[in-house]
Amino acid sequence: QHIDLLNYIDLTSYLLSVVPSEMPASWPEEALKAQSVVARSYILKNLQRHSNEGYDLCASVHCIVYAGATNESPRTTQAVTATKNEIITHEGNVIDAVFSSNSGGYTEASENVWGNSFAYLKSVNTLNGNQYNFPLEPYQMENWFIEKPTSYSYNKYTTQSSYRWVKEINLNDLKERHELEGIKKVYITNRTSTGTVQQIKIEGINRTVTVNDNAIRRALTGLKSTKFIVKNIYDDNVLQKIIIFGAGWGHSVGMDQSAAAGM
């Protein structure tokens, strides 16, 4: 048995806490306005998300973060007020205005992450320069992950670790998670033209595990995104380390919050 605590609140009052919960109130004014419009649109589009449980939206990242009135800030309150009643529509309908922390330099099309295709959720380049023209050759893709190309997604408002990151995978954790007798290698079998990994294989001594799409981040013991390359490091043909070089933080679909600040 459990109790759901419901908060009945009007949209503007709700947004006064949602916006600073989703974007730092210290970020540029125009980015805060963009976040306000995006959040307002997303909320209206997803109002029935938890209708089976008797309420509209939850307060976590599953829906949109709401931390209560104590989280309000004068700067975000001003942004919400300045954009009051502004929403984004496509062909007369409110759009599913999703957003993520950092795209790593290129946002992803919704169909490549969730399967649903929308004309307004396509891949968009946030690189500030023309050093990379997608789609990339495999060697270019590797350079793209290891370098830090100039981008609106990488600026003074964002941390380097949300734009480009490196993670060493714990081999024992990986072995236990997938019930393998040992790890031979991890390799990518499918990715989109803009870098998002859609399928990996974890080759063990006793069997090979195939993991697809959103499950990949969890399968590799918690990655910031599904944009990465894998380096298997051996000694005498025995796997010693798995190093992941990654880009971005989140699903990369829709508005790149870091790039909004950079722009």
Side-chain angles (χ1 to χ4, degrees):
Q1 185 178 6
H2 72 276
I3 296 173
D4 285 329
L5 178 64
L6 305 185
N7 187 1
Y8 291 88
I9 189 169
D10 67 272
L11 180 57
T12 296
S13 299
Y14 183 46
L15 281 166
L16 294 182
S17 174
V18 164
V19 174
S21 298
E22 292 285 4
M23 179 177 280
S26 59
W27 280 18
E29 179 184 359
E30 294 303 318
L32 297 177
K33 288 181 182 178
Q35 182 67 61
S36 300
V37 175
V38 165
R40 186 180 292 110
S41 304
Y42 176 87
I43 290 163
L44 292 173
K45 179 69 174 179
N46 289 277
L47 272 182
Q48 303 300 315
R49 194 162 192 186
H50 284 279
S51 58
N52 290 342
E53 292 103 326
Y55 56 94
D56 287 312
L57 295 163
C58 65
S60 73
V61 292
H62 176 259
C63 292
I64 196 165
V65 178
Y66 173 75
T70 56
N71 201 47
E72 293 177 14
S73 165
R75 295 191 78 245
T76 47
T77 294
Q78 184 179 0
V80 170
T81 305
T83 61
K84 190 172 183 180
N85 298 328
E86 290 184 21
I87 56 172
I88 311 169
T89 63
H90 176 70
E91 295 182 346
N93 298 310
V94 183
I95 71 166
D96 195 9
V98 293
F99 52 92
S100 66
S101 178
N102 194 304
S103 71
Y106 224 112
T107 70
E108 190 53 83
S110 59
E111 61 265 28
N112 291 332
V113 177
W114 300 312
N116 296 328
S117 178
F118 297 101
Y120 54 83
L121 291 178
K122 299 301 180 187
S123 296
V124 176
N125 188 350
T126 72
L127 296 178
N128 188 6
N130 296 313
Q131 65 270 51
Y132 287 100
N133 294 310
F134 284 79
L136 302 177
E137 296 295 328
Y139 76 92
Q140 294 175 311
M141 185 70 76
E142 184 162 314
N143 290 340
W144 186 77
F145 277 105
I146 294 173
E147 295 175 0
K148 297 181 183 67
T150 304
S151 171
Y152 288 113
S153 302
Y154 182 40
N155 54 70
K156 66 181 181 179
Y157 301 102
T158 62
T159 60
Q160 176 179 312
S161 63
S162 65
Y163 183 57
R164 290 291 183 275
W165 45 269
V166 180
K167 176 173 178 161
E168 180 176 345
I169 304 298
N170 186 301
L171 295 180
N172 283 327
D173 287 352
L174 194 64
K175 183 175 70 173
E176 291 175 9
R177 182 180 292 249
H178 300 286
E179 299 178 347
L180 298 171
E181 292 174 5
I183 309 289
K184 287 185 176 181
K185 65 177 177 177
V186 172
Y187 56 101
I188 295 163
T189 50
N190 193 29
R191 74 162 76 239
T192 69
S193 62
T194 50
T196 298
V197 176
Q198 294 179 301
Q199 186 181 81
I200 62 166
K201 289 187 184 291
I202 305 169
E203 187 177 321
I205 293 172
N206 54 324
R207 66 191 180 99
T208 297
V209 177
T210 301
V211 187
N212 297 302
D213 300 319
N214 292 326
I216 292 171
R217 291 171 69 179
R218 188 171 61 255
L220 292 179
T221 66
L223 302 182
K224 289 183 178 179
S225 75
T226 50
K227 289 184 174 180
F228 59 86
I229 55 174
V230 181
K231 295 290 185 182
N232 296 282
I233 300 171
Y234 298 89
D235 185 12
D236 287 334
N237 292 322
V238 177
L239 183 65
Q240 301 296 317
K241 290 182 179 180
I242 297 173
I243 308 292
I244 305 287
F245 292 86
W249 196 338
H251 52 67
S252 293
V253 183
M255 186 179 81
D256 177 333
Q257 294 172 297
S258 298
M263 290 175 182

